[in-house]
Amino acid sequence: MNYIYLVNALVTDEIGRMLAVRKKKSKFFQMVGGKREQDEELLTTLRREFLEEINVDILQNDVSFLGQHTSIAVNEANTEVHANVFHVKLKSLETLKIASEIEEMVWITKENYKEFQLAHLLEEFSLPIWLEMEF
């Protein structure tokens, strides 16, 4: 078994939609975030990944820690992901723009979330939290 250590975020906007991204060569939508480099601080990883993937600086938004979760990777065989998950509530969508490794970005609502194929980490951990949030 291989192991990947991630830092990800459940991203919401002011009206309660949840942002999900789909990387190239993947059919699964997932949270913004990525692999933590050795000895890198959690928020440093999250900030770097947000800038790389969607051109957003998390320091300009509300960030809170949600918890940790372990699941099976959807894009890598025989791999377990260990993630620290944050909530990032975007104050502005002005700079939001997908980067080269991202194929698609969607805003998911509580009415349409079942229409998307979600990565395990998002589906098992963040989705239930998001469904309980009030905006």
Side-chain angles (χ1 to χ4, degrees), residues 97-132:
K97 174 179 76 171
I98 59 173
S100 59
E101 71 181 57
I102 304 298
E103 179 74 25
E104 185 179 3
M105 173 176 67
V106 294
W107 284 104
I108 297 175
T109 67
K110 292 184 179 180
E111 292 74 38
N112 74 1
Y113 72 92
K114 292 179 182 176
E115 299 170 16
F116 297 93
Q117 195 163 5
L118 304 176
H120 300 306
L121 182 62
L122 174 55
E123 186 173 40
E124 296 167 6
F125 183 79
S126 296
L127 180 66
I129 293 171
W130 173 69
L131 288 172
E132 293 296 320

Side-chain angles (χ1 to χ4, degrees), residues 54-56 61 90-97:
I54 61 170
N55 195 45
V56 168
N61 298 278
L90 297 180
K91 294 180 180 179
S92 169
L93 306 180
E94 275 183 37
T95 65
L96 192 63
K97 174 179 76 171

Side-chain angles (χ1 to χ4, degrees), residues 61-76:
N61 298 278
D62 294 329
V63 180
S64 58
F65 184 68
L66 293 176
Q68 297 177 324
H69 188 72
T70 299
S71 190
I72 300 299
V74 293
N75 294 317
E76 298 181 44

Side-chain angles (χ1 to χ4, degrees), residues 7-9 42-50 58 86 88:
V7 183
N8 297 83
L42 296 176
L43 288 176
T44 301
T45 301
L46 194 64
R47 185 175 189 215
R48 176 178 50 76
E49 290 289 341
F50 263 68
I58 62 166
F86 290 81
V88 175

Side-chain angles (χ1 to χ4, degrees), residues 13-29:
D13 65 5
E14 291 184 350
I15 61 172
R17 297 178 301 174
M18 175 176 63
L19 181 71
V21 295
R22 186 176 58 77
K23 293 186 176 187
K24 292 180 179 175
K25 300 181 182 176
S26 177
K27 60 184 178 180
F28 295 95
F29 284 91

